[in-house]
Amino acid sequence: VQLVESGGGLVQPGGSLRLSCAASGFTFSIYCMAWFRQAPGTERERVAAITPNSSWKRYDDSVKGRFNISRDNDKNTLFLQMNGLKAEDTAMYYCATDTSRQFTCRNGGISDYNYWGQGTQVTVSS
């Protein structure tokens, strides 16, 4: 299993970024995917999750209405569109998958996900 994030960078407050996660080595289309983030000195937290068929999405309250998680099962790619970025969104962003269950998400935190990418840094600053 390999997950490779991209799309991070430096952006001004109020700006937008689109993160991508290229997946390989497993059947992407049948497993839950999620984005997590971790700022220095804090615990890794789930930002958003999406079921294999995109019928269910969940967002942390801090990003609702600003972030959108999506996936392209034909291209084995997960996305996170981030709009209205704030300084507090600054963190390393990771994609993750839960291959212990097919066709569902467990709606949990870190312990529910068994494979992780290496992360992409997002910095929101003027």
Side-chain angles (χ1 to χ4, degrees):
V1 174
Q2 188 172 20
L3 300 171
V4 181
E5 301 95 334
S6 62
L10 174 63
V11 63
Q12 292 187 343
S16 298
L17 281 175
R18 189 191 196 202
L19 305 184
S20 299
C21 173
S24 61
F26 67 109
T27 308
F28 177 81
S29 62
I30 65 174
Y31 294 114
C32 180
M33 297 295 298
W35 287 99
F36 284 74
R37 67 185 179 186
Q38 187 171 20
T42 68
E43 294 185 354
R44 193 171 297 190
E45 63 177 2
R46 194 186 74 179
V47 174
I50 185 170
T51 49
N53 65 357
S54 302
S55 62
W56 178 92
K57 301 179 183 180
R58 281 298 182 270
Y59 298 92
D60 185 81
D61 286 345
S62 65
V63 306
K64 281 180 181 177
R66 300 188 298 123
F67 289 11
N68 182 60
I69 188 171
S70 63
R71 62 193 294 163
D72 184 334
N73 288 342
D74 291 333
K75 297 182 178 179
N76 291 350
T77 306
L78 176 72
F79 301 100
L80 185 68
Q81 178 66 43
M82 305 186 295
N83 300 322
L85 283 161
K86 305 175 181 180
E88 50 264 44
D89 294 318
T90 296
M92 186 73 78
Y93 283 72
Y94 301 89
C95 69
T97 186
D98 174 12
T99 61
S100 68
R101 285 169 170 74
Q102 297 180 8
F103 305 115
T104 188
C105 283
R106 288 189 280 173
N107 199 25
I110 296 173
S111 61
D112 282 354
Y113 296 85
N114 54 345
Y115 290 100
W116 297 81
Q118 83 291 346
T120 185
Q121 177 67 38
V122 172
T123 302
V124 184
S125 175
S126 55

